[in-house]
Amino acid sequence: YNLPRSKKPQKLPTILSEEEITTLLDQPENLKHKCILFLIYSAGLRISEAVHMKVADIDSKRNLIFIRGAKGKKDRTSLLSQKLLIMLREYYRIYRPKEYLFEGETGGQYSVTTIQKVFNKALKASGIKKKATVHSLRHSFATHLLEHGTDLRYIQELLGHESSKTTEIYTHVTKKAVDKIVSPLD
């Protein structure tokens, strides 16, 4: 049958401002929780990518993070923040993870649910009223890079998007160009 499909509504992602990100990332007192949220935001990771991250995936010499077998079974690299690297060294010294970068109390991968709870607790403690999720950190990463002048093509690579169309959504939420436009009323 050649039936027309109804259009899926295109919803814009929830973006946290840089100030909101700073406030949110300051909330967790537990070093492991702080490192997880910093990692997700600073590298633009999906929550599943953070959970699957292994100790060997951190390349401190080249300031890169390897994301292996991400969505679509593709490998990619992302940025390793110097601020995060300092925190990860402290974290490693205290927790001594064996295989996965973030392990549960009995070893093995850290739980996605636990990360969501950590994020929600930090969001509530920071007083941010937006309906944000852990994935909002990834959206915010991309938007902030775009606002600081990073080329869309590089952002596409860092996020692991196959199509540039997927990455172009961030041009709709960035305030980079919009804040230069003056309302006709003004």
Side-chain angles (χ1 to χ4, degrees):
Y1 300 130
N2 213 4
L3 297 173
R5 292 179 182 236
S6 61
K7 270 195 160 184
K8 200 169 120 182
Q10 185 184 12
K11 294 185 178 176
L12 294 176
T14 300
I15 306 299
L16 300 172
S17 70
E18 290 182 50
E19 296 78 22
E20 289 170 326
I21 289 287
T22 302
T23 304
L24 182 108
L25 295 179
D26 280 344
Q27 298 310 311
E29 291 179 21
N30 178 303
L31 181 60
K32 182 189 286 187
H33 296 163
K34 195 178 266 302
C35 283
I36 290 169
L37 295 182
F38 265 78
L39 174 71
I40 292 171
Y41 171 69
S42 70
L45 301 184
R46 296 176 180 96
I47 195 168
S48 60
E49 295 166 347
V51 166
H52 291 96
M53 184 76 43
K54 297 194 175 180
V55 176
D57 293 335
I58 304 295
D59 185 347
S60 59
K61 301 235 184 315
R62 295 177 55 215
N63 291 326
L64 291 175
I65 295 172
F66 292 98
I67 300 111
R68 303 186 193 282
K71 194 172 179 182
K73 304 281 185 249
K74 290 181 288 202
D75 294 349
R76 72 175 197 278
T77 57
S78 191
L79 313 170
L80 174 59
S81 153
Q82 286 304 299
K83 192 181 281 188
L84 173 63
L85 180 59
I86 292 165
M87 288 173 59
L88 285 176
R89 286 183 172 145
E90 176 71 9
Y91 162 78
Y92 186 83
R93 195 179 59 71
I94 295 169
Y95 287 89
R96 294 280 183 208
K98 310 249 181 310
E99 182 183 2
Y100 293 99
L101 186 58
F102 303 109
E103 297 178 336
E105 286 183 26
T106 57
Q109 291 179 342
Y110 209 59
S111 155
V112 166
T113 310
T114 304
I115 296 173
Q116 290 167 333
K117 286 177 183 173
V118 165
F119 176 84
N120 290 332
K121 185 177 176 187
L123 186 69
K124 187 175 181 184
S126 65
I128 297 168
K129 301 290 183 229
K130 293 179 181 174
K131 287 192 182 229
T133 64
V134 177
H135 205 69
S136 300
L137 295 175
R138 178 175 162 87
H139 292 314
S140 300
F141 163 82
T143 304
H144 298 161
L145 284 178
L146 189 60
E147 288 175 351
H148 286 281
T150 306
D151 188 275
L152 208 55
R153 178 74 186 106
Y154 293 123
I155 297 170
Q156 178 185 347
E157 281 292 315
L158 292 170
L159 295 176
H161 289 161
E162 186 144 331
S163 167
S164 61
K165 291 271 180 237
T166 311
T167 316
E168 285 172 12
I169 187 79
Y170 300 110
T171 61
H172 298 291
V173 291
T174 182
K175 61 181 178 62
K176 182 182 173 191
V178 178
D179 62 4
K180 290 178 179 42
I181 301 170
V182 178
S183 168
L185 186 62
D186 297 334

